[in-house]
């Protein structure tokens, strides 16, 4: 029902920046909470950042707080993840998810709450 497509991944040097984009279909994008998760080889998928639909509040994992910024442009049905001061430990496949149902506090930080997922985009940070 909802198609989610990530783009903008690539390879950068440590300390560099990337901007990921997440385009989502649907006529009610403004009602979707959008989140970014990542999965490194041999590790479980982990929360990175999210922006809620209802109040626009953002959430960040402590590992990226102060370095990453999540935003959204409802007119373009697109969410963004600006990644600055990248570290080698940020290397992972980054996934964008859309949460279309109302959730309680902090629900946007939990992977299982999301309804739709993109295919992922690889981010590689070399040192």
């Amino acid at each position: 029902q909802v198609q989610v497509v990530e783009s903008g991944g690539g390879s950068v040097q440590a300390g560099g920046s990337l901007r990921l984009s997440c385009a989502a279909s649907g006529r009610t994008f403004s009602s979707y909470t959008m989140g970014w998760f990542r999965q490194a080889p041999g590790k479980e998928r982990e929360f990175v950042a999210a922006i809620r639909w209802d109040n626009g509040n953002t959430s960040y994992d402590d590992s990226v707080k102060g370095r990453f910024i999540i935003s959204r442009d409802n007119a373009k049905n697109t969410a963004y993840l600006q990644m600055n001061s990248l570290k080698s430990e940020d290397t992972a496949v980054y996934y964008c998810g859309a949460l279309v149902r109302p959730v309680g506090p902090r629900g946007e930080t939990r992977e299982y709450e999301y309804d739709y997922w993109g295919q992922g985009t690889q981010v590689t940070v070399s040192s």
Side-chain angles (χ1 to χ4, degrees), residues 60-109:
Y60 298 94
D61 184 76
D62 287 342
S63 66
V64 305
K65 188 174 295 184
R67 299 189 297 121
F68 292 7
I69 302 171
I70 188 171
S71 62
R72 66 191 299 159
D73 186 340
N74 290 339
K76 297 181 178 180
N77 281 19
T78 302
Y80 304 94
L81 185 68
Q82 179 66 46
M83 310 166 67
N84 301 316
S85 301
L86 284 162
K87 306 174 181 179
S88 59
E89 51 262 46
D90 294 318
T91 295
V93 177
Y94 284 70
Y95 297 90
C96 179
L99 203 173
V100 304
R101 300 169 294 104
V103 293
R106 313 308 297 174
E108 70 277 9
T109 69

